[in-house]
Each structure stands twice: as C-alpha cells, then as structure tokens.
Amino acid sequence: MSNQVKFVLDESRLPKAWYNIVADLPAPPPPVLHPGTLQPVGPDDLAPLFPMSLIMQEVSSEREIGIPEPVRDIYRQWRPSPLYRARRLEKALDTPARIYYKYEGVSPAGSHKPNTAVAQAFYNKEAGVKRIVTETGAGQWGSSLALSGAFFGLQIEIFMVRVSYNQKPYRRALMESYGARCVASPSEETNSGRMFLAQRADHPGSLGIAISEAVEVAAQSDDTKYALGSVLNHVLLHQTVIGQEAMEQMQMAGDFPDVIVGCTGGGSNFAGIAFPFIGHALRGGQKARIVAVEPAACPSLTKGRYAYDFGDTAHLTPLTKMHTLGSTFVPPGFHAGGLRYHGMAPLVSHCAELGLLEPRSYAQVTCFDAGVLFARSEGIVPAPEANHAVKGAVDEALRCKAEGKSETILFNLCGHGHFDMQAYMDYFGGKLLDQQYDEAELAMALAGLPSVGA
Ligand SMILES: *Cc1c(COP(=O)(O)O)cnc(C)c1O
C-alpha cells in the first residue's frame, strides 16, 4: 500500500443529493407532537418558524433530496473536504489499526456547521424571508449562519449563551464581521429572557434558554424565521454530504471502515458521517460499528431517558421523542460548548433504540489529552468538541493494539480549535476540571418531563 495520506475528491464528485436515512430504517421515527393537544404536528404548525421547503424536508421519507445548485456553488468553496490517513498518529500510538479522519475544519467558519447553514439560508431567502434569528452556544453555529446570511443577503440575529459571550469574544467578533447582530442570552429583549433574568440577574444562560428567546422573536414577525444548527431531521440531512464524500474517499484509499466515530452534541456532525454508512449497511452493504461519543458532563445518550420532551427551556417548541436529560437541565460549564444541549437528535436517538450505534461518554480532560496528542501528530488543533471523537478513535486504536487487530477506523474531525485556545490554555495550566453534573438536578429535570401517554 502507498504512503498516501490525503484523499481529495474532484469537484465533480461533490454530492448532488442529501441522503435521508428515514427511507432505509426498519421502523419510522415517532411523530413530533403538539405540546397542547399531544397530537402529531402538521407542516402548518411549524410554518411560523421555518420555510415550507425545510418543513417538507423535516417530514420527508424520500431517500435522496436534491441539493440546489446555488447551495452546491457555495459548498464548492471548501467541498469536497479532505480525508486524511493519520499515519503519524498511528505511529505515536504504535497501533496496527489504520486511522482516517474526515476534516470539516476547512469551511470558512471552521466547522461542519456551514453545510446546513448555507442550505437553510438559501431556502429562507427563496421563501422571501428577510431575517433569521437563532441561538449559539460556543459560537460555531452563530458564525456559520452569519456567514450564510452574508452570502444570501439576510439579516442574522443571534442569541449567544452568556457564559460563552463573555468567554469567547473572538467568536462574537467573527459573527459581527459577517454582519450579524449578537446578543447575550438571557437578554432583556424577550419575555423568556426577562423571566430567566428575574430568577437570577447573573444568569449564565443555556442553549435551551437561548432557543426560547430566538423562537419567541421569530414567532412574532412575518418576515422573520428561526434556524437551528443541530438536532432537527433537516439539519442532519444536510450534513450527510460528509459521509457520502467519506465513503468515496475510503474507496480511493482502497479501504472500508470497521469502526466509525463521531462526537455528539445535538447529533448533526455524527449523523453526517455515520448515516450514509448505516444506510449502506441497512441496504445490504458492508457494515461498520458506529460509535457516538458524548461528554460525561452532559450525557443525553448514555444517561438520559428516551422520552418526549421540549427542545427549549421555556417550553415554546413542539415535543419530540429523544434521549433527554430534561429541558430544565443545565450542564456544568465545561469547554466543549457545542456539546451542552439537553437532548439528542430524534433520528440519532431512534437509531440508538434500534441498536444501530454504540453510545459512549468521556470526561473532558482525557479528551484534551487525546486532542493534544492529535495536534502534535497531525498538526491540526481540534475543536474541544472534536476532541471527544479523537479520544474515541484513539481508544479504538489502542484496543486494536491490545487485540493485535489491524482494523480500519474512521472519525469525523468536525472543526478546528483556533477560537478555543483559552480552553487549551486552561488545560495546560491544569485549570481544566472534570466537572460532574449534579445528580439531584438531573433527577429533578427528568421528573419534570412532560407526561405523554405511551
Ligand atoms: C456545534 C458543534 C458540535 C456539536 O453539534 P453536533 O450537532 O452534535 O455536531 C460539535 N463539534 C463542533 C466543532 C461544533 O461546532
């Protein structure tokens, strides 16, 4: 075998369609419910928040959904993204395993999130929308939507979780550079924001609260819609360009993964790399083990309950069945801000229930250990979120070493960490702690789940 480390697809190999896993699943995912009537929601119920084209993608069971040419034109700026073989990491680990990683940090915003942000901005523009309101945790999603708003001439307004707003001024500056308006959440600008500030003047905020603020603003005006950077079916759908490209690149490498690893916050980058491979196996093709890695401090897949829950803290959203820690759960302030959501994507949750994936959790310090080893071997500094996937891949490689197996491991390096160097400074300063979530708070949040009959 050659020493090739980089597998690059020609622009003509950029996927022409997104892949919808619903078409291949042995059982359909449970319906989304209206919180008042507990009946399945129809497309019209979601119309105040999303353009109809995205709602139709949300409920679609068609296997392939064509990618509009204007979206592909923008994708071409950084896609197809490269696939690397991590030869120096393999050597550092002294493993017989072959490790490959798909690198999504080549997008202008530095992560996988523009894959869906560009698509969502396109459909909103097409529907005549003037303004999109959203939330952001660490700032990756906000930057990606801000970028896409600049490309399509849309006004972007972002509620940024207050702790991140204070900790990550450069992310805010990036969003503003793209022309977006960024507000710390909870804010004085919405009823939900004022309610949480009244409870606690120095409220650190959470993704659930920021979503409530954004949804509230979007629902109040006709020319304004809401956008979500993860969790929803259409978001996962848009991310499948990652796995489709990776499948072709693995073919170029003359290899096929035995194990695929991704980190899970809301589940979108994980679904992006994994779903095309899961679908391939469900249609009778070669099968890989699929490992979903989440932070031990916000463990929705490994410790949450599979139940109907709200997507936000103020309970303005419909109910979806997912692995959840409860919508009032506020995780401790660990550094992988993109992994702090209380729930897991309904489609990823459903796949977990069907036994199609293996969930796993790691504490953050061990993930940074792996991330630093990766940076010193491969030269790319991973985002703190991505460190969870690196750690998962490293552990698989060490297992191969212990078992004397030369398996093939593929993981998604969903973003670089250039805006997260404070987290690395804290790590090197010994200030990064493995914070435990509060068991009593989790029990309370779970006890507060809405009661929905079986
Ligand atoms: C947002 C983000 C995540 C978490 O979101 P998913 O929907 O689970 O992918 C992970 N990594 C990076 C780099 C992110 O920006």
Side-chain angles (χ1 to χ4, degrees), residues 259-271 273-275 278 289-296 299-302 323 339 344 348-349 351-352 356-362 385 388-393 396 410-411:
V259 193
I260 297 169
V261 183
C263 70
T264 52
S268 74
N269 89 84
F270 167 79
I273 190 140
F275 280 7
I278 296 177
R289 280 175 54 226
I290 310 282
V291 177
V293 184
E294 63 182 7
S300 54
L301 265 179
T302 52
H323 287 90
L339 306 181
M344 182 51 56
V348 172
S349 297
C351 286
L356 298 171
L357 53 94
E358 303 170 29
R360 184 185 292 181
S361 74
Y362 291 115
E385 294 86 358
H388 292 73
V390 176
K391 169 66 178 164
E396 288 295 324
L410 166 65
F411 76 92

mmCIF file of all heavy atoms in Angstrom, residues 259-271 273-275 278 289-296 299-302 323 339 344 348-349 351-352 356-362 385 388-393 396 410-411:
data_model
loop_
_atom_site.group_PDB
_atom_site.id
_atom_site.type_symbol
_atom_site.label_atom_id
_atom_site.label_comp_id
_atom_site.label_asym_id
_atom_site.label_seq_id
_atom_site.Cartn_x
_atom_site.Cartn_y
_atom_site.Cartn_z
ATOM 1 N N VAL A 259 -14.847 0.628 12.057
ATOM 2 C CA VAL A 259 -15.437 1.456 13.107
ATOM 3 C C VAL A 259 -15.517 2.899 12.626
ATOM 4 O O VAL A 259 -14.549 3.417 12.051
ATOM 5 C CB VAL A 259 -14.555 1.476 14.385
ATOM 6 C CG1 VAL A 259 -15.330 2.071 15.551
ATOM 7 C CG2 VAL A 259 -14.037 0.115 14.732
ATOM 8 N N ILE A 260 -16.643 3.563 12.890
ATOM 9 C CA ILE A 260 -16.791 4.986 12.584
ATOM 10 C C ILE A 260 -17.099 5.703 13.886
ATOM 11 O O ILE A 260 -17.963 5.273 14.648
ATOM 12 C CB ILE A 260 -17.913 5.212 11.555
ATOM 13 C CG1 ILE A 260 -17.551 4.521 10.237
ATOM 14 C CG2 ILE A 260 -18.154 6.707 11.334
ATOM 15 C CD1 ILE A 260 -18.688 4.454 9.259
ATOM 16 N N VAL A 261 -16.372 6.809 14.151
ATOM 17 C CA VAL A 261 -16.532 7.521 15.414
ATOM 18 C C VAL A 261 -16.900 8.978 15.142
ATOM 19 O O VAL A 261 -16.308 9.627 14.278
ATOM 20 C CB VAL A 261 -15.214 7.492 16.230
ATOM 21 C CG1 VAL A 261 -15.414 8.172 17.588
ATOM 22 C CG2 VAL A 261 -14.714 6.062 16.420
ATOM 23 N N GLY A 262 -17.879 9.480 15.886
ATOM 24 C CA GLY A 262 -18.218 10.897 15.805
ATOM 25 C C GLY A 262 -18.574 11.412 17.181
ATOM 26 O O GLY A 262 -18.973 10.623 18.056
ATOM 27 N N CYS A 263 -18.423 12.726 17.417
ATOM 28 C CA CYS A 263 -18.855 13.293 18.685
ATOM 29 C C CYS A 263 -20.300 13.767 18.534
ATOM 30 O O CYS A 263 -20.733 14.136 17.442
ATOM 31 C CB CYS A 263 -17.944 14.435 19.129
ATOM 32 S SG CYS A 263 -18.058 15.933 18.135
ATOM 33 N N THR A 264 -21.038 13.727 19.651
ATOM 34 C CA THR A 264 -22.440 14.120 19.579
ATOM 35 C C THR A 264 -22.783 15.213 20.583
ATOM 36 O O THR A 264 -22.609 15.047 21.788
ATOM 37 C CB THR A 264 -23.368 12.917 19.872
ATOM 38 O OG1 THR A 264 -22.955 12.312 21.097
ATOM 39 C CG2 THR A 264 -23.296 11.883 18.764
ATOM 40 N N GLY A 265 -23.233 16.341 20.050
ATOM 41 C CA GLY A 265 -23.817 17.403 20.866
ATOM 42 C C GLY A 265 -25.320 17.276 20.663
ATOM 43 O O GLY A 265 -26.039 16.669 21.442
ATOM 44 N N GLY A 266 -25.777 17.821 19.538
ATOM 45 C CA GLY A 266 -27.160 17.594 19.119
ATOM 46 C C GLY A 266 -27.236 16.420 18.158
ATOM 47 O O GLY A 266 -28.315 15.929 17.847
ATOM 48 N N GLY A 267 -26.092 15.994 17.636
ATOM 49 C CA GLY A 267 -26.043 14.795 16.800
ATOM 50 C C GLY A 267 -25.808 15.021 15.316
ATOM 51 O O GLY A 267 -25.787 14.061 14.547
ATOM 52 N N SER A 268 -25.602 16.279 14.879
ATOM 53 C CA SER A 268 -25.601 16.508 13.427
ATOM 54 C C SER A 268 -24.309 16.101 12.711
ATOM 55 O O SER A 268 -24.362 15.516 11.633
ATOM 56 C CB SER A 268 -25.967 17.958 13.102
ATOM 57 O OG SER A 268 -24.917 18.845 13.397
ATOM 58 N N ASN A 269 -23.137 16.399 13.294
ATOM 59 C CA ASN A 269 -21.909 16.014 12.564
ATOM 60 C C ASN A 269 -21.739 14.498 12.619
ATOM 61 O O ASN A 269 -21.272 13.882 11.660
ATOM 62 C CB ASN A 269 -20.674 16.769 13.089
ATOM 63 C CG ASN A 269 -19.961 16.079 14.228
ATOM 64 O OD1 ASN A 269 -19.126 15.196 14.014
ATOM 65 N ND2 ASN A 269 -20.293 16.442 15.462
ATOM 66 N N PHE A 270 -22.167 13.916 13.748
ATOM 67 C CA PHE A 270 -22.139 12.457 13.880
ATOM 68 C C PHE A 270 -23.016 11.813 12.804
ATOM 69 O O PHE A 270 -22.595 10.898 12.093
ATOM 70 C CB PHE A 270 -22.619 12.064 15.287
ATOM 71 C CG PHE A 270 -22.915 10.601 15.425
ATOM 72 C CD1 PHE A 270 -21.902 9.684 15.592
ATOM 73 C CD2 PHE A 270 -24.233 10.143 15.347
ATOM 74 C CE1 PHE A 270 -22.179 8.323 15.686
ATOM 75 C CE2 PHE A 270 -24.509 8.789 15.439
ATOM 76 C CZ PHE A 270 -23.478 7.878 15.607
ATOM 77 N N ALA A 271 -24.266 12.306 12.689
ATOM 78 C CA ALA A 271 -25.180 11.773 11.677
ATOM 79 C C ALA A 271 -24.597 11.999 10.285
ATOM 80 O O ALA A 271 -24.722 11.150 9.401
ATOM 81 C CB ALA A 271 -26.547 12.445 11.794
ATOM 82 N N ILE A 273 -21.514 11.997 9.217
ATOM 83 C CA ILE A 273 -20.538 10.989 8.791
ATOM 84 C C ILE A 273 -21.143 9.583 8.846
ATOM 85 O O ILE A 273 -20.864 8.747 7.983
ATOM 86 C CB ILE A 273 -19.220 11.063 9.599
ATOM 87 C CG1 ILE A 273 -18.169 10.163 8.932
ATOM 88 C CG2 ILE A 273 -19.397 10.667 11.063
ATOM 89 C CD1 ILE A 273 -16.794 10.725 8.897
ATOM 90 N N ALA A 274 -22.015 9.321 9.844
ATOM 91 C CA ALA A 274 -22.454 7.937 10.075
ATOM 92 C C ALA A 274 -23.644 7.492 9.231
ATOM 93 O O ALA A 274 -23.677 6.336 8.778
ATOM 94 C CB ALA A 274 -22.795 7.754 11.565
ATOM 95 N N PHE A 275 -24.623 8.362 9.010
ATOM 96 C CA PHE A 275 -25.869 7.914 8.374
ATOM 97 C C PHE A 275 -25.670 7.286 6.985
ATOM 98 O O PHE A 275 -26.268 6.249 6.689
ATOM 99 C CB PHE A 275 -26.907 9.053 8.321
ATOM 100 C CG PHE A 275 -27.650 9.270 9.626
ATOM 101 C CD1 PHE A 275 -27.287 8.591 10.789
ATOM 102 C CD2 PHE A 275 -28.730 10.158 9.693
ATOM 103 C CE1 PHE A 275 -27.968 8.799 11.991
ATOM 104 C CE2 PHE A 275 -29.420 10.362 10.887
ATOM 105 C CZ PHE A 275 -29.047 9.688 12.034
ATOM 106 N N ILE A 278 -24.509 3.826 7.706
ATOM 107 C CA ILE A 278 -25.573 2.998 8.302
ATOM 108 C C ILE A 278 -26.566 2.584 7.213
ATOM 109 O O ILE A 278 -26.974 1.424 7.128
ATOM 110 C CB ILE A 278 -26.305 3.756 9.441
ATOM 111 C CG1 ILE A 278 -25.348 4.041 10.604
ATOM 112 C CG2 ILE A 278 -27.507 2.948 9.944
ATOM 113 C CD1 ILE A 278 -25.963 4.855 11.744
ATOM 114 N N ARG A 289 -19.063 -0.794 12.688
ATOM 115 C CA ARG A 289 -19.550 -0.419 14.025
ATOM 116 C C ARG A 289 -19.612 1.101 14.060
ATOM 117 O O ARG A 289 -18.755 1.777 13.496
ATOM 118 C CB ARG A 289 -18.573 -0.894 15.106
ATOM 119 C CG ARG A 289 -18.700 -2.370 15.464
ATOM 120 C CD ARG A 289 -17.602 -2.747 16.454
ATOM 121 N NE ARG A 289 -17.601 -1.883 17.617
ATOM 122 C CZ ARG A 289 -16.509 -1.327 18.144
ATOM 123 N NH1 ARG A 289 -15.321 -1.542 17.630
ATOM 124 N NH2 ARG A 289 -16.599 -0.547 19.204
ATOM 125 N N ILE A 290 -20.622 1.646 14.746
ATOM 126 C CA ILE A 290 -20.794 3.093 14.774
ATOM 127 C C ILE A 290 -20.737 3.554 16.230
ATOM 128 O O ILE A 290 -21.566 3.138 17.044
ATOM 129 C CB ILE A 290 -22.165 3.501 14.170
ATOM 130 C CG1 ILE A 290 -22.393 2.841 12.799
ATOM 131 C CG2 ILE A 290 -22.302 5.007 14.126
ATOM 132 C CD1 ILE A 290 -21.663 3.462 11.655
ATOM 133 N N VAL A 291 -19.752 4.405 16.571
ATOM 134 C CA VAL A 291 -19.568 4.837 17.954
ATOM 135 C C VAL A 291 -19.895 6.328 18.088
ATOM 136 O O VAL A 291 -19.324 7.167 17.396
ATOM 137 C CB VAL A 291 -18.113 4.568 18.422
ATOM 138 C CG1 VAL A 291 -17.903 5.091 19.838
ATOM 139 C CG2 VAL A 291 -17.790 3.074 18.345
ATOM 140 N N ALA A 292 -20.827 6.641 18.985
ATOM 141 C CA ALA A 292 -21.228 8.031 19.249
ATOM 142 C C ALA A 292 -20.629 8.459 20.587
ATOM 143 O O ALA A 292 -20.931 7.861 21.617
ATOM 144 C CB ALA A 292 -22.744 8.140 19.288
ATOM 145 N N VAL A 293 -19.774 9.486 20.577
ATOM 146 C CA VAL A 293 -19.088 9.911 21.796
ATOM 147 C C VAL A 293 -19.657 11.220 22.312
ATOM 148 O O VAL A 293 -19.726 12.208 21.590
ATOM 149 C CB VAL A 293 -17.574 10.092 21.549
ATOM 150 C CG1 VAL A 293 -16.874 10.443 22.849
ATOM 151 C CG2 VAL A 293 -16.966 8.836 20.944
ATOM 152 N N GLU A 294 -20.064 11.217 23.582
ATOM 153 C CA GLU A 294 -20.605 12.440 24.188
ATOM 154 C C GLU A 294 -19.837 12.761 25.465
ATOM 155 O O GLU A 294 -19.140 11.906 26.011
ATOM 156 C CB GLU A 294 -22.092 12.266 24.483
ATOM 157 C CG GLU A 294 -22.397 11.158 25.499
ATOM 158 C CD GLU A 294 -23.894 10.988 25.716
ATOM 159 O OE1 GLU A 294 -24.680 11.628 24.995
ATOM 160 O OE2 GLU A 294 -24.268 10.233 26.615
ATOM 161 N N PRO A 295 -19.965 14.016 25.953
ATOM 162 C CA PRO A 295 -19.263 14.380 27.180
ATOM 163 C C PRO A 295 -19.946 13.784 28.405
ATOM 164 O O PRO A 295 -21.175 13.761 28.476
ATOM 165 C CB PRO A 295 -19.371 15.911 27.208
ATOM 166 C CG PRO A 295 -20.554 16.241 26.378
ATOM 167 C CD PRO A 295 -20.702 15.152 25.366
ATOM 168 N N ALA A 296 -19.135 13.309 29.361
ATOM 169 C CA ALA A 296 -19.683 12.730 30.581
ATOM 170 C C ALA A 296 -20.477 13.771 31.376
ATOM 171 O O ALA A 296 -21.340 13.418 32.171
ATOM 172 C CB ALA A 296 -18.555 12.162 31.442
ATOM 173 N N PRO A 299 -24.528 13.906 29.388
ATOM 174 C CA PRO A 299 -24.609 12.598 28.720
ATOM 175 C C PRO A 299 -26.027 12.182 28.309
ATOM 176 O O PRO A 299 -26.591 11.238 28.862
ATOM 177 C CB PRO A 299 -24.067 11.657 29.798
ATOM 178 C CG PRO A 299 -24.503 12.291 31.094
ATOM 179 C CD PRO A 299 -24.598 13.772 30.855
ATOM 180 N N SER A 300 -26.605 12.843 27.313
ATOM 181 C CA SER A 300 -28.001 12.561 26.963
ATOM 182 C C SER A 300 -28.202 11.129 26.460
ATOM 183 O O SER A 300 -29.171 10.471 26.809
ATOM 184 C CB SER A 300 -28.516 13.569 25.940
ATOM 185 O OG SER A 300 -27.657 13.621 24.821
ATOM 186 N N LEU A 301 -27.270 10.616 25.648
ATOM 187 C CA LEU A 301 -27.460 9.276 25.074
ATOM 188 C C LEU A 301 -27.213 8.165 26.093
ATOM 189 O O LEU A 301 -27.894 7.147 26.091
ATOM 190 C CB LEU A 301 -26.508 9.067 23.892
ATOM 191 C CG LEU A 301 -27.021 9.354 22.475
ATOM 192 C CD1 LEU A 301 -25.913 9.101 21.461
ATOM 193 C CD2 LEU A 301 -28.249 8.529 22.121
ATOM 194 N N THR A 302 -26.190 8.366 26.952
ATOM 195 C CA THR A 302 -25.837 7.292 27.883
ATOM 196 C C THR A 302 -26.599 7.369 29.205
ATOM 197 O O THR A 302 -26.790 6.359 29.865
ATOM 198 C CB THR A 302 -24.324 7.274 28.182
ATOM 199 O OG1 THR A 302 -23.927 8.587 28.594
ATOM 200 C CG2 THR A 302 -23.514 6.891 26.945
ATOM 201 N N HIS A 323 -33.485 11.077 23.377
ATOM 202 C CA HIS A 323 -32.774 10.867 24.631
ATOM 203 C C HIS A 323 -32.545 12.242 25.240
ATOM 204 O O HIS A 323 -31.936 13.109 24.610
ATOM 205 C CB HIS A 323 -31.448 10.146 24.398
ATOM 206 C CG HIS A 323 -31.640 8.691 24.063
ATOM 207 N ND1 HIS A 323 -31.796 8.248 22.771
ATOM 208 C CD2 HIS A 323 -31.749 7.595 24.863
ATOM 209 C CE1 HIS A 323 -31.980 6.930 22.791
ATOM 210 N NE2 HIS A 323 -31.954 6.511 24.037
ATOM 211 N N LEU A 339 -21.397 20.894 22.883
ATOM 212 C CA LEU A 339 -21.943 19.601 23.307
ATOM 213 C C LEU A 339 -22.821 19.747 24.556
ATOM 214 O O LEU A 339 -23.032 18.793 25.286
ATOM 215 C CB LEU A 339 -20.811 18.594 23.589
ATOM 216 C CG LEU A 339 -19.788 18.348 22.480
ATOM 217 C CD1 LEU A 339 -18.761 17.303 22.926
ATOM 218 C CD2 LEU A 339 -20.456 17.888 21.196
ATOM 219 N N MET A 344 -30.822 14.773 22.515
ATOM 220 C CA MET A 344 -30.112 14.233 21.356
ATOM 221 C C MET A 344 -31.080 14.224 20.173
ATOM 222 O O MET A 344 -32.279 14.032 20.360
ATOM 223 C CB MET A 344 -29.625 12.817 21.671
ATOM 224 C CG MET A 344 -28.836 12.131 20.575
ATOM 225 S SD MET A 344 -27.494 13.132 19.936
ATOM 226 C CE MET A 344 -26.591 13.455 21.455
ATOM 227 N N VAL A 348 -31.040 10.354 15.704
ATOM 228 C CA VAL A 348 -29.903 9.646 16.320
ATOM 229 C C VAL A 348 -30.430 8.810 17.489
ATOM 230 O O VAL A 348 -30.031 7.646 17.667
ATOM 231 C CB VAL A 348 -28.810 10.643 16.786
ATOM 232 C CG1 VAL A 348 -27.731 9.927 17.598
ATOM 233 C CG2 VAL A 348 -28.190 11.346 15.582
ATOM 234 N N SER A 349 -31.351 9.383 18.285
ATOM 235 C CA SER A 349 -31.953 8.651 19.407
ATOM 236 C C SER A 349 -32.654 7.398 18.908
ATOM 237 O O SER A 349 -32.520 6.314 19.480
ATOM 238 C CB SER A 349 -32.967 9.541 20.142
ATOM 239 O OG SER A 349 -32.333 10.652 20.716
ATOM 240 N N CYS A 351 -32.079 5.737 16.141
ATOM 241 C CA CYS A 351 -31.064 4.768 15.703
ATOM 242 C C CYS A 351 -30.455 4.051 16.901
ATOM 243 O O CYS A 351 -30.152 2.855 16.832
ATOM 244 C CB CYS A 351 -29.955 5.456 14.900
ATOM 245 S SG CYS A 351 -30.469 5.920 13.239
ATOM 246 N N ALA A 352 -30.265 4.776 18.008
ATOM 247 C CA ALA A 352 -29.724 4.152 19.218
ATOM 248 C C ALA A 352 -30.706 3.097 19.726
ATOM 249 O O ALA A 352 -30.314 1.989 20.092
ATOM 250 C CB ALA A 352 -29.450 5.205 20.290
ATOM 251 N N LEU A 356 -28.476 0.535 16.296
ATOM 252 C CA LEU A 356 -27.606 0.788 15.146
ATOM 253 C C LEU A 356 -26.320 1.507 15.517
ATOM 254 O O LEU A 356 -25.458 1.728 14.674
ATOM 255 C CB LEU A 356 -28.370 1.597 14.087
ATOM 256 C CG LEU A 356 -29.610 0.906 13.498
ATOM 257 C CD1 LEU A 356 -30.411 1.862 12.628
ATOM 258 C CD2 LEU A 356 -29.171 -0.324 12.685
ATOM 259 N N LEU A 357 -26.203 1.940 16.773
ATOM 260 C CA LEU A 357 -24.982 2.646 17.183
ATOM 261 C C LEU A 357 -24.647 2.344 18.641
ATOM 262 O O LEU A 357 -25.494 1.886 19.399
ATOM 263 C CB LEU A 357 -25.127 4.150 16.949
ATOM 264 C CG LEU A 357 -26.345 4.854 17.542
ATOM 265 C CD1 LEU A 357 -26.009 5.440 18.898
ATOM 266 C CD2 LEU A 357 -26.777 5.955 16.580
ATOM 267 N N GLU A 358 -23.380 2.609 18.996
ATOM 268 C CA GLU A 358 -22.892 2.374 20.357
ATOM 269 C C GLU A 358 -22.566 3.705 21.014
ATOM 270 O O GLU A 358 -21.592 4.341 20.633
ATOM 271 C CB GLU A 358 -21.594 1.547 20.319
ATOM 272 C CG GLU A 358 -21.700 0.214 19.623
ATOM 273 C CD GLU A 358 -20.324 -0.432 19.420
ATOM 274 O OE1 GLU A 358 -19.393 -0.187 20.230
ATOM 275 O OE2 GLU A 358 -20.185 -1.174 18.427
ATOM 276 N N PRO A 359 -23.381 4.145 21.984
ATOM 277 C CA PRO A 359 -23.063 5.402 22.671
ATOM 278 C C PRO A 359 -21.974 5.197 23.728
ATOM 279 O O PRO A 359 -21.864 4.111 24.301
ATOM 280 C CB PRO A 359 -24.381 5.803 23.337
ATOM 281 C CG PRO A 359 -25.335 4.678 23.148
ATOM 282 C CD PRO A 359 -24.628 3.545 22.474
ATOM 283 N N ARG A 360 -21.205 6.260 23.968
ATOM 284 C CA ARG A 360 -20.093 6.189 24.906
ATOM 285 C C ARG A 360 -19.857 7.616 25.430
ATOM 286 O O ARG A 360 -20.104 8.568 24.695
ATOM 287 C CB ARG A 360 -18.874 5.736 24.105
ATOM 288 C CG ARG A 360 -17.632 5.499 24.888
ATOM 289 C CD ARG A 360 -16.477 5.184 23.946
ATOM 290 N NE ARG A 360 -16.611 3.895 23.262
ATOM 291 C CZ ARG A 360 -15.692 3.423 22.419
ATOM 292 N NH1 ARG A 360 -14.599 4.136 22.161
ATOM 293 N NH2 ARG A 360 -15.849 2.253 21.832
ATOM 294 N N SER A 361 -19.393 7.750 26.678
ATOM 295 C CA SER A 361 -19.099 9.113 27.161
ATOM 296 C C SER A 361 -17.697 9.188 27.756
ATOM 297 O O SER A 361 -17.182 8.201 28.277
ATOM 298 C CB SER A 361 -20.134 9.539 28.213
ATOM 299 O OG SER A 361 -19.896 8.878 29.438
ATOM 300 N N TYR A 362 -17.087 10.376 27.634
ATOM 301 C CA TYR A 362 -15.764 10.628 28.214
ATOM 302 C C TYR A 362 -15.768 11.959 28.958
ATOM 303 O O TYR A 362 -16.416 12.913 28.523
ATOM 304 C CB TYR A 362 -14.698 10.746 27.117
ATOM 305 C CG TYR A 362 -14.375 9.466 26.381
ATOM 306 C CD1 TYR A 362 -14.668 9.354 25.026
ATOM 307 C CD2 TYR A 362 -13.755 8.402 27.010
ATOM 308 C CE1 TYR A 362 -14.354 8.206 24.318
ATOM 309 C CE2 TYR A 362 -13.440 7.241 26.316
ATOM 310 C CZ TYR A 362 -13.739 7.145 24.971
ATOM 311 O OH TYR A 362 -13.422 6.009 24.286
ATOM 312 N N GLU A 385 -14.936 20.093 21.080
ATOM 313 C CA GLU A 385 -15.979 19.099 20.785
ATOM 314 C C GLU A 385 -15.360 17.929 20.028
ATOM 315 O O GLU A 385 -15.602 16.756 20.336
ATOM 316 C CB GLU A 385 -17.085 19.721 19.919
ATOM 317 C CG GLU A 385 -17.906 20.812 20.607
ATOM 318 C CD GLU A 385 -17.255 22.187 20.486
ATOM 319 O OE1 GLU A 385 -16.150 22.281 19.906
ATOM 320 O OE2 GLU A 385 -17.856 23.161 20.988
ATOM 321 N N HIS A 388 -13.549 14.871 21.562
ATOM 322 C CA HIS A 388 -14.285 13.673 22.005
ATOM 323 C C HIS A 388 -14.221 12.577 20.940
ATOM 324 O O HIS A 388 -14.096 11.394 21.261
ATOM 325 C CB HIS A 388 -15.732 14.027 22.336
ATOM 326 C CG HIS A 388 -15.874 14.892 23.560
ATOM 327 N ND1 HIS A 388 -15.520 16.233 23.571
ATOM 328 C CD2 HIS A 388 -16.301 14.602 24.812
ATOM 329 C CE1 HIS A 388 -15.738 16.720 24.788
ATOM 330 N NE2 HIS A 388 -16.208 15.752 25.557
ATOM 331 N N ALA A 389 -14.296 12.982 19.682
ATOM 332 C CA ALA A 389 -14.200 11.991 18.596
ATOM 333 C C ALA A 389 -12.771 11.469 18.493
ATOM 334 O O ALA A 389 -12.543 10.275 18.273
ATOM 335 C CB ALA A 389 -14.632 12.617 17.273
ATOM 336 N N VAL A 390 -11.788 12.372 18.673
ATOM 337 C CA VAL A 390 -10.383 11.959 18.642
ATOM 338 C C VAL A 390 -10.142 10.920 19.728
ATOM 339 O O VAL A 390 -9.555 9.857 19.477
ATOM 340 C CB VAL A 390 -9.434 13.172 18.856
ATOM 341 C CG1 VAL A 390 -7.982 12.716 18.928
ATOM 342 C CG2 VAL A 390 -9.628 14.202 17.739
ATOM 343 N N LYS A 391 -10.642 11.204 20.929
ATOM 344 C CA LYS A 391 -10.461 10.282 22.057
ATOM 345 C C LYS A 391 -11.111 8.922 21.747
ATOM 346 O O LYS A 391 -10.534 7.865 22.019
ATOM 347 C CB LYS A 391 -11.068 10.910 23.319
ATOM 348 C CG LYS A 391 -11.199 9.984 24.512
ATOM 349 C CD LYS A 391 -9.854 9.531 25.067
ATOM 350 C CE LYS A 391 -10.050 8.637 26.292
ATOM 351 N NZ LYS A 391 -8.822 7.889 26.597
ATOM 352 N N GLY A 392 -12.281 8.958 21.166
ATOM 353 C CA GLY A 392 -12.963 7.711 20.802
ATOM 354 C C GLY A 392 -12.137 6.909 19.811
ATOM 355 O O GLY A 392 -11.993 5.686 19.936
ATOM 356 N N ALA A 393 -11.563 7.600 18.815
ATOM 357 C CA ALA A 393 -10.757 6.916 17.795
ATOM 358 C C ALA A 393 -9.462 6.372 18.399
ATOM 359 O O ALA A 393 -9.041 5.255 18.092
ATOM 360 C CB ALA A 393 -10.450 7.882 16.643
ATOM 361 N N GLU A 396 -10.176 3.237 20.281
ATOM 362 C CA GLU A 396 -10.390 2.113 19.366
ATOM 363 C C GLU A 396 -9.040 1.604 18.834
ATOM 364 O O GLU A 396 -8.823 0.403 18.700
ATOM 365 C CB GLU A 396 -11.295 2.526 18.201
ATOM 366 C CG GLU A 396 -12.763 2.715 18.588
ATOM 367 C CD GLU A 396 -13.422 1.414 19.043
ATOM 368 O OE1 GLU A 396 -13.111 0.347 18.490
ATOM 369 O OE2 GLU A 396 -14.267 1.471 19.972
ATOM 370 N N LEU A 410 -12.426 5.193 11.151
ATOM 371 C CA LEU A 410 -12.708 6.488 10.507
ATOM 372 C C LEU A 410 -13.393 7.376 11.523
ATOM 373 O O LEU A 410 -14.328 6.954 12.199
ATOM 374 C CB LEU A 410 -13.643 6.275 9.304
ATOM 375 C CG LEU A 410 -14.296 7.536 8.712
ATOM 376 C CD1 LEU A 410 -13.261 8.475 8.101
ATOM 377 C CD2 LEU A 410 -15.353 7.147 7.667
ATOM 378 N N PHE A 411 -12.891 8.630 11.679
ATOM 379 C CA PHE A 411 -13.637 9.537 12.558
ATOM 380 C C PHE A 411 -13.807 10.892 11.893
ATOM 381 O O PHE A 411 -13.119 11.224 10.930
ATOM 382 C CB PHE A 411 -12.980 9.636 13.941
ATOM 383 C CG PHE A 411 -11.725 10.471 14.031
ATOM 384 C CD1 PHE A 411 -11.776 11.814 14.365
ATOM 385 C CD2 PHE A 411 -10.485 9.890 13.809
ATOM 386 C CE1 PHE A 411 -10.612 12.574 14.475
ATOM 387 C CE2 PHE A 411 -9.316 10.637 13.912
ATOM 388 C CZ PHE A 411 -9.380 11.981 14.249
#
